[in-house]
Amino acid sequence: MSEADGLRQRRPLRPQVVTDDGPAPEAKDGSSFSGRVFRVTFLMLAVSLTVPLLGAMMLLESPIDPQPLSFKEPPILLGVLQPNTKLRQAERLFENQLIGPESIVNIGDVMFTGTADGRVVKLESGEIETIARFGSGPCKTRDDEPACGRPLGIRAGPNGTLFVADAYKGLFEVNPQKREVKLLLSSETLIEGKKMSFVNDLTITRDGRKIYFTDSSSKWQRRDYLLLVMEGTDDGRLLEYDTVTKEVKVLLDQLQFPNGVQLSPEEDFVLVAETTMARIRSCLVRRR
């Protein structure tokens, strides 16, 4: 037989077919073993991280003592509560030029506000001018606030002066023309045995005699406001300061983060925003 005939009589090679028989079970067993090793390793790692964390949580003291909170059903947002987009039409003033302006008041065409770096500033004709400081220091971070001060509530008095509530320093009267600063009530003053750690907002009578203001907490300072909210502390108060007699009265206590405050047009009641409870409280006041 010739070489050509031998080539023609050879059977063609069949392709090799891989089935589940044969060495496949070894691969399956190997994969299962690797999975078990991974699970054991992951479990050991989780335990090694969780145990120290739980130990630290048990040994380290939490900065807060959370209080139970209960909220009522919110009102239906209809009528005057209907959501709207009117503020989208507002014009932006002094954008990127002020750090944390809080309360704003105007005397004529001139506006005044307090900033996060401890200043009371005048805004006029596109210019920003510092008219008062209640503290001193670098005033760069939140930890600097106790030394620098943090002007929050600000209102205009009947004689062209400004009444300002500083979160750390207390109540002040500022003459914007003469740049004179007068301390009315220091936050170091104990009111019914409690200190004022977080003086917040204020509102005044038309004759300038009575100042109604909020002290958000006797425990937490403004820089710790998140802890104040998380703890649900009810040590906030609404107070009244008489600029003539220098007397201070507690009008409401056991408030949870009292914030903004506003005297009624008839000056017969005061509204207080209770931040933690997401509600507004009212308090009747005496008119002179």
Side-chain angles (χ1 to χ4, degrees):
M1 183 174 60
S2 66
E3 183 177 354
D5 292 336
L7 290 174
R8 283 195 299 269
Q9 291 180 5
R10 289 179 183 176
R11 295 180 179 180
L13 294 176
R14 294 181 179 179
Q16 183 177 0
V17 179
V18 179
T19 66
D20 291 337
D21 301 330
E26 295 182 4
K28 187 175 181 180
D29 291 343
S31 176
S32 177
F33 176 75
S34 299
R36 288 197 298 270
V37 170
F38 173 78
R39 286 194 294 271
V40 171
T41 303
F42 180 79
L43 180 61
M44 292 178 64
L45 180 61
V47 170
S48 65
L49 293 175
T50 303
V51 171
L53 181 60
L54 291 176
M57 291 175 63
M58 295 177 64
L59 294 176
L60 296 177
E61 184 178 356
S62 173
I64 64 173
D65 180 20
Q67 305 299 312
L69 297 177
S70 178
F71 297 92
K72 295 182 179 179
E73 277 296 316
I76 299 176
L77 301 181
L78 297 176
V80 294
L81 300 179
Q82 181 75 32
N84 63 76
T85 59
K86 292 181 179 180
L87 287 180
R88 294 182 183 177
Q89 313 302 321
E91 178 185 357
R92 296 174 182 265
L93 303 176
F94 300 96
E95 190 170 10
N96 300 322
Q97 299 180 58
L98 296 169
I99 305 174
E102 181 84 4
S103 183
I104 298 175
V105 70
N106 72 288
I107 299 178
D109 295 330
V110 183
M111 295 187 295
F112 301 89
T113 189
T115 58
D117 53 1
R119 297 181 297 152
V120 176
V121 299
K122 179 174 74 171
L123 311 174
E124 184 179 17
S125 303
E127 300 293 328
I128 302 174
E129 183 180 354
T130 301
I131 62 169
R133 281 185 180 273
F134 306 134
S136 60
C139 306
K140 294 181 179 180
T141 69
R142 187 174 295 175
D143 291 333
D144 297 327
E145 285 188 358
C148 293
R150 179 57 168 106
L152 295 178
I154 182 170
R155 301 294 174 108
N159 300 320
T161 60
L162 303 173
F163 290 91
V164 185
D166 186 284
Y168 300 89
K169 306 298 184 181
L171 300 181
F172 292 85
E173 184 176 8
V174 178
N175 186 319
Q177 302 298 326
K178 299 180 180 180
R179 307 294 195 268
E180 294 176 349
V181 175
K182 178 182 179 181
L183 176 63
L184 300 177
L185 179 66
S186 171
S187 59
E188 300 294 328
T189 305
L190 296 181
I191 309 300
E192 295 188 359
K194 292 183 178 180
K195 62 181 180 180
M196 298 182 291
S197 296
F198 188 170
V199 180
N200 200 320
D201 194 19
L202 80 167
T203 184
I204 64 173
T205 55
R206 281 185 290 271
D207 61 7
R209 175 165 181 174
K210 294 289 189 69
I211 300 176
Y212 302 98
F213 68 100
T214 49
D215 175 33
S216 296
S217 176
S218 61
K219 176 181 179 181
W220 300 106
Q221 295 182 318
R222 197 215 75 90
R223 58 178 174 170
D224 303 316
Y225 72 93
L226 289 178
L227 297 178
L228 170 58
V229 174
M230 289 189 291
E231 186 174 67
T233 312
D234 61 351
D235 62 346
R237 297 177 291 179
L238 170 67
L239 304 105
E240 174 191 281
Y241 175 75
D242 191 313
T243 59
V244 175
T245 66
K246 315 301 181 186
E247 294 179 342
V248 184
K249 296 179 182 178
V250 177
L251 302 182
L252 289 177
D253 60 2
Q254 294 185 320
L255 299 176
Q256 292 168 289
F257 199 166
N259 200 331
V261 59
Q262 179 61 52
L263 183 63
S264 69
E266 293 76 20
E267 300 188 349
D268 55 349
F269 67 89
V270 175
L271 297 178
V272 184
E274 197 174 10
T275 306
T276 301
M277 299 305 296
R279 65 187 178 188
I280 296 176
R281 301 281 295 273
S282 65
C283 177
L284 295 176
V285 295
R286 286 174 124 189
R287 291 184 293 179
R288 284 187 177 270

